[in-house]
Amino acid sequence: MKLIEVEMMSGCMSGFGGMPPAVLSEGLKQLKSEHPPLLEQLEGMFVLTQQIMQEIDVENHFSELIIKVKEFKNALDPHSEREEGVLFPMMGVYIGTTSGPIAVMEYEHDQAKEKIAAFLSRVESGHSVNDEKKKLAELIQNAYFILTEHFAKEENVLFPMAERMLTDNEKKELLQRIQEIK
């Protein structure tokens, strides 16, 4: 690549899909602020899954993982509802929901929730859980990978996009509606 082309691309913010950082409105700030505690919970679960995979005190770590997954699901569900029930449809008016960023975000939500639900379903049924602890822990690892990448996409792409596209009135409505979800 010629030097002139590199210089031109570096000056073009949209060359790689990047935009200058957006100052987020209150509703989007709230959604973003919910990520760090969720990520902290994910990290804790991931550590437990690694210990299970390495066969380190499997019984205790698996019991702790079950508790942590239930706690995480209880924290994740209202966050997901705020995004799926409020933010995504508001953005969908402008960019659609059947393809593009909203479809990808919803797909990732579904994938992560499926992994967590499958884990909890198998654990609660009690069938062959002893033989499958590593496979079950792998479900949580997969959810971890999906969600850590997903949160980064929301923070770096989706939320700034929403900030630019939603009107001031829509931003106020977003804040009000997400605060109603407990």
Side-chain angles (χ1 to χ4, degrees):
M1 191 176 277
K2 295 178 194 167
L3 181 58
I4 189 82
E5 290 172 341
V6 172
E7 287 176 6
M8 288 173 61
M9 287 179 63
S10 67
C12 177
M13 292 278 202
S14 62
F16 294 100
M19 294 290 289
V23 176
L24 298 179
S25 59
E26 290 306 310
L28 293 167
K29 272 188 209 171
Q30 178 180 327
L31 291 173
K32 183 177 178 179
S33 74
E34 293 172 4
H35 287 173
L38 290 169
L39 285 166
E40 190 175 317
Q41 287 180 288
L42 278 167
E43 291 293 336
M45 293 185 314
F46 187 72
V47 167
L48 290 170
T49 64
Q50 288 178 310
Q51 291 167 328
I52 292 164
M53 295 298 195
Q54 295 168 12
E55 298 182 7
I56 300 170
D57 196 10
V58 174
E59 292 304 315
N60 285 331
H61 288 128
F62 195 78
S63 295
E64 190 178 345
L65 181 62
I66 293 168
I67 293 165
K68 299 272 186 207
V69 169
K70 288 177 180 178
E71 290 171 351
F72 177 75
K73 183 182 180 310
N74 288 336
L76 180 65
D77 285 348
H79 174 75
S80 294
E81 178 56 31
R82 289 180 193 104
E83 292 178 347
E84 294 170 12
V86 183
L87 177 63
F88 295 174
M90 289 178 87
M91 292 181 71
V93 169
Y94 296 97
I95 59 173
T97 57
T98 56
S99 65
I102 301 302
V104 170
M105 295 293 110
E106 288 182 334
Y107 175 76
E108 290 173 355
H109 277 198
D110 291 346
Q111 290 296 300
K113 286 192 232 177
E114 263 179 39
K115 308 275 186 243
I116 292 166
F119 173 88
L120 291 173
S121 173
R122 293 303 297 256
V123 165
E124 289 166 6
S125 75
H127 298 318
S128 305
V129 169
N130 283 336
D131 301 333
E132 296 184 343
K133 286 188 171 120
K134 284 186 180 181
K135 284 183 184 174
L136 292 171
E138 199 173 297
L139 289 170
I140 299 307
Q141 285 185 341
N142 290 336
Y144 167 86
F145 293 125
I146 291 166
L147 289 172
T148 53
E149 187 175 308
H150 174 82
F151 289 162
K153 287 180 197 173
E154 286 181 338
E155 291 177 16
N156 295 311
V157 178
L158 195 74
F159 294 165
M161 182 187 293
E163 185 62 39
R164 288 188 297 276
M165 80 175 43
L166 298 177
T167 66
D168 288 343
N169 284 339
E170 288 170 326
K171 291 173 190 173
K172 288 176 188 168
E173 179 186 348
L174 172 71
L175 177 62
Q176 181 217 343
R177 290 179 58 199
I178 66 172
Q179 289 181 333
E180 293 170 358
I181 299 169
K182 302 294 177 201

